[in-house]
Amino acid sequence: MRKLESAQLRNGLLQGATWIILASVVPAISPLAIREAVNELVTKDFTTAAWAIGLYVCAVELSRGATAAQTLNFGQLWRALRRSIANETYDHLLNLPSRFYLSHKTGETIQTVSEGLNGLRSVLGALTFGIAPAVLQGLSILVVLIVLERLDLLLLLLVFGISYGLLFRRGLESRVAIQRKAVEADAEAVGIVTDALIGQEISRLFGTSDLIGKKVDDVLAKGEKSWLAFFRSQHTNHQQLVFLFAATTGLYLLLVAYRVSTGALTTGDFVLAHAYILQIVSPIERLSFASRDLIQGIGNLTRLAELLDHEKEALSIDNRDLSLKDNHFTVQLEKVSFGYEPRRQVVHDLSFEIRPGETIAIVGLSGSGKSTIWRLICRLFDPHAGRILIGGIPSDQMDLTALRSAVAVVPQDCFLYNDTIANNILVASPLSSTIEVAEAGTLAGLEPLIARLPNGWDTKVGERGIRLSGGERQRVAIARAVLRRPRLFVFDEATSSLDSETEKAVEKSLSDVSAGASTLIIAHRLSSVCHADEILVLDHGRIIERGTHTSLLALGGRYCAMWSAQSSRRHE
Ligand SMILES: Nc1ncnc2c1ncn2[C@@H]1O[C@H](COP(=O)(O)OP(=O)(O)O)[C@@H](O)[C@H]1O
Ligand SMILES: [Mg+2]
């Protein structure tokens, strides 16, 4: 990932500040030249007036040029900043713990990121093009007025400035809250649609599009209501500002006109006063637009900041992967208890051990907590009680990357990236050669499929692997695990979508590759676990029976009953 160079950032900011100062301060003092010109013309001194006009034109040119340069500078700086922040954000999102994903919708999260980046642009734009120049210009005008000793006008402008500031702040606070609601509703709608798109087949099969459409529209209506409130509040605020401005300018011009009539000020002073009013109009307008952008930006940015507030998984802990360097990759669970939600425990008091080279099997009804066990071993979640030791070291003190690279899981529902078959296998070990990929694929029984596909290994699998059958996806996932060359294989009903013929073939080749590594098998078909060194029977998150196939049959308990039920089905 590319980090924004701090020198590059510093230079960009310095340049930007220079342009902003030029673009704001020069127009604030240039009306002085016009006053000079008018006063000289009253005394018919053309040469001095011409000099003053020339100076004025140069000043206008300079400030316009500075504004253009500022636009270019902002564009460059923003793109560099955006790239760097987008990278940081994506990296953060991809490394959030599993717990985050339990309560967040993908579409909503993506929308929050994209709106958050837009929001950052709005805020920076508002500061650069609206607020900073307006404040600088205001301050310069104040200085000019102090130098000219226009204390009464100064007072008037100060009152205007303060009232404006107060109104501006009030509008800002009330609208940030309203806008947040509106943005939340928009993100929720995207979340619902994304969910429906991910499950498009089910959506169409069950004809849920009307239902989803209704749900989305309800959310959008809620958003629209907030947006309308937002626009109304913005409009009111704008009207108040316009009124305040008109009243102040009226008073100001009257006051100056009166003083010109009494001879206290010159005609040039009146022109100067008018020039300043014109001068003030543009920053005030800019402030108004800036306030809108600022509010929208702050709302979006806060949501992004909240997303980034979720802590990332700490992947690496220095020098903590020592246990993986020696060969004793023993996994021990000691009285492990865990639940996804605080009020519902899923596994209770689990203790067992997987020694190097051993095969441990877990059987049990669906929902009994089998898949939860490997999620705990890989530390997708951490136990609430008890501990997990890897090679004698508590797993929460180990380097996560090292731990996970030592385990390869073939999960129940195999997720594939929308890429080629070969690249889907390569994710397990990106530096492997094509030959190694093909070897792993062959071991996983992919050969016949590849032979039939016109593009072979380079066939695109579609979104989530939609172009492959369940069994084919499983074989790709098995190949992925094989290429990983792990210390521990986890097969979570990994051959459930294969027919028994293919299952036998794949199991045979797997026992070859996994020789030396430990294996954790979760299976429905007991025929695929009967060779295991130990079989654990899980019921509602507790181990109720454990032993070898023969000892469990001899025990005549749950396992024995399951075995008889399955063998009678086999013989039917
Ligand atoms: N991400 C999750 N959030 C909340 N509950 C979950 C989550 N995953 C699984 N569960 C619950 O935990 C229990 C055990 O799930 P799991 O380990 O997947 O069972 P098995 O693999 O034995 O079928 C189930 O009752 C399930 O509802
Ligand atoms: Mg499961």
Side-chain angles (χ1 to χ4, degrees):
M1 195 194 311
R2 170 187 170 275
K3 287 249 161 63
L4 192 60
E5 303 278 332
S6 63
Q8 186 193 359
L9 186 67
R10 203 175 45 236
N11 285 344
L13 285 176
L14 220 64
Q15 266 184 32
T18 313
W19 298 133
I20 293 177
I21 291 172
L22 275 180
S24 325
V25 175
V26 171
I29 46 180
S30 56
L32 288 176
I34 286 292
R35 179 183 80 147
E36 266 326 289
V38 174
N39 284 342
E40 296 307 332
L41 285 180
V42 172
T43 59
K44 305 272 186 288
D45 178 354
F46 174 72
T47 323
T48 321
W51 273 109
I53 290 171
L55 215 60
Y56 178 73
V57 170
C58 287
V60 168
E61 220 17 71
L62 186 63
S63 78
R64 292 269 193 278
T67 306
Q70 186 193 352
T71 309
L72 176 67
N73 172 267
F74 180 82
Q76 290 168 336
L77 208 58
W78 164 245
R79 286 328 297 188
L81 195 66
R82 188 191 185 284
R83 180 169 158 200
S84 157
I85 291 178
N87 279 336
E88 292 281 339
T89 308
Y90 300 147
D91 175 65
H92 194 93
L93 275 188
L94 292 173
N95 286 299
L96 283 172
S98 297
R99 193 154 289 291
F100 171 84
Y101 299 98
L102 296 184
S103 55
H104 286 80
K105 279 193 174 150
T106 309
E108 215 168 316
T109 306
I110 291 172
Q111 170 83 353
T112 302
V113 170
S114 114
E115 288 292 314
L117 290 173
N118 288 340
L120 182 61
R121 193 197 182 289
S122 302
V123 169
L124 294 179
L127 289 174
T128 317
F129 295 109
I131 293 161
V135 167
L136 277 174
Q137 216 159 350
L139 285 178
S140 319
I141 292 174
L142 279 186
V143 171
V144 170
L145 289 179
I146 290 171
V147 170
L148 295 181
E149 291 184 15
R150 297 286 161 74
L151 293 185
D152 45 353
L153 304 182
L154 191 66
L155 199 69
L156 196 68
L157 277 185
L158 270 183
V159 171
F160 170 76
I162 291 170
S163 326
Y164 186 96
L166 288 178
L167 270 178
F168 184 81
R169 223 187 79 188
R170 216 182 70 187
L172 196 78
E173 279 170 0
S174 69
R175 274 178 286 152
V176 163
I178 304 175
Q179 198 253 358
R180 194 190 153 95
K181 273 198 197 149
V183 170
E184 269 169 10
D186 285 350
E188 195 184 335
V190 176
I192 298 172
V193 173
T194 311
D195 206 29
L197 285 177
I198 292 175
Q200 52 85 18
E201 224 167 46
I202 296 294
S203 305
R204 280 179 306 118
L205 279 177
F206 283 84
T208 49
S209 66
D210 286 349
L211 200 74
I212 289 163
K214 169 88 179 61
K215 228 164 142 183
V216 169
D217 187 51
D218 283 349
V219 174
L220 286 180
K222 210 166 62 183
E224 191 179 62
K225 219 169 110 189
S226 301
W227 278 121
L228 290 183
F230 178 79
F231 292 140
R232 265 199 304 276
S233 158
Q234 185 171 297
H235 177 71
T236 314
N237 197 238
H238 197 75
Q239 292 292 356
Q240 291 166 336
L241 292 178
V242 167
F243 175 76
L244 185 69
F245 181 66
T248 323
T249 26
L251 264 176
Y252 180 58
L253 284 181
L254 275 178
L255 205 71
V256 179
Y258 174 73
R259 302 185 122 209
V260 174
S261 74
T262 60
L265 294 176
T266 62
T267 320
D269 284 324
F270 185 83
V271 176
L272 179 71
H274 185 244
Y276 270 126
I277 288 193
L278 293 182
Q279 210 70 73
I280 288 173
V281 170
S282 93
I284 284 182
E285 264 174 9
R286 280 204 228 166
L287 261 188
S288 202
F289 289 127
S291 87
R292 187 198 55 196
D293 291 351
L294 194 68
I295 290 166
Q296 297 206 350
I298 289 175
N300 288 330
L301 205 54
T302 329
R303 280 170 51 82
L304 177 62
E306 282 166 8
L307 204 62
L308 297 179
D309 252 0
H310 293 272
E311 238 174 82
K312 282 203 286 188
E313 275 184 325
L315 283 178
S316 51
I317 304 176
D318 290 342
N319 305 323
R320 291 289 173 82
D321 56 342
L322 296 174
S323 66
L324 296 175
K325 296 213 174 85
D326 59 40
N327 284 322
H328 303 294
F329 193 81
T330 307
V331 180
Q332 287 166 285
L333 274 76
E334 288 182 356
K335 297 180 174 306
V336 168
S337 298
F338 170 77
Y340 294 94
E341 295 143 307
R343 286 181 304 159
R344 182 169 156 237
Q345 199 151 317
V346 168
V347 292
H348 313 261
D349 221 15
L350 292 181
S351 297
F352 67 92
E353 197 174 293
I354 314 170
R355 280 182 288 268
E358 261 188 357
T359 298
I360 303 291
I362 303 175
V363 298
L365 296 181
S366 110
S368 55
K370 303 183 295 296
S371 302
T372 304
I373 293 177
W374 62 255
R375 289 198 191 105
L376 290 169
I377 293 176
C378 297
R379 288 200 54 218
L380 290 179
F381 295 91
D382 284 320
H384 296 164
R387 53 184 199 155
I388 298 174
L389 304 166
I390 312 277
I393 294 184
S395 65
D396 58 359
Q397 289 176 21
M398 291 177 67
D399 186 292
L400 254 190
T401 316
L403 166 65
R404 289 185 187 159
S405 68
V407 182
V409 181
V410 183
Q412 240 166 329
D413 35 24
C414 308
F415 173 86
L416 300 188
Y417 296 98
N418 191 351
D419 204 336
T420 62
I421 295 181
N423 285 342
N424 262 291
I425 300 175
L426 265 176
V427 294
S429 163
L431 298 180
S432 295
S433 67
T434 324
I435 297 172
E436 286 167 314
V437 169
E439 272 171 9
T442 310
L443 279 169
L446 270 173
E447 197 86 294
L449 168 71
I450 299 299
R452 269 183 285 124
L453 293 171
N455 290 329
W457 296 102
D458 293 328
T459 306
K460 294 254 188 195
V461 302
E463 196 98 341
R464 286 166 298 115
I466 198 173
R467 292 198 196 164
L468 302 186
S469 78
E472 288 161 354
R473 276 204 291 276
Q474 254 177 2
R475 273 172 271 180
V476 175
I478 293 172
R480 206 184 255 171
V482 169
L483 192 66
R484 189 81 164 167
R485 299 193 188 292
R487 302 279 186 88
L488 171 67
F489 277 100
V490 177
F491 299 109
D492 187 349
E493 301 186 9
T495 48
S496 58
S497 301
L498 305 184
D499 49 89
S500 0
E501 291 283 295
T502 321
E503 184 184 19
K504 285 223 175 64
V506 169
E507 267 169 13
K508 168 79 189 64
S509 20
L510 282 183
S511 64
D512 295 344
V513 263
S514 61
S518 326
T519 312
L520 181 67
I521 299 185
I522 297 167
H524 263 313
R525 256 178 252 167
L526 298 188
S527 57
S528 48
V529 304
C530 54
H531 64 282
D533 296 298
E534 185 174 34
I535 301 168
L536 311 172
V537 183
L538 211 63
D539 182 50
H540 292 98
R542 291 178 204 280
I543 300 175
I544 53 163
E545 286 173 15
R546 62 198 301 167
T548 58
H549 177 68
T550 357
S551 75
L552 285 173
L553 284 186
L555 187 71
R558 174 78 59 87
Y559 182 84
C560 183
M562 285 161 77
W563 178 260
S564 330
Q566 288 195 7
S567 8
S568 62
R569 236 177 288 145
R570 268 202 300 278
H571 295 128
E572 264 167 20

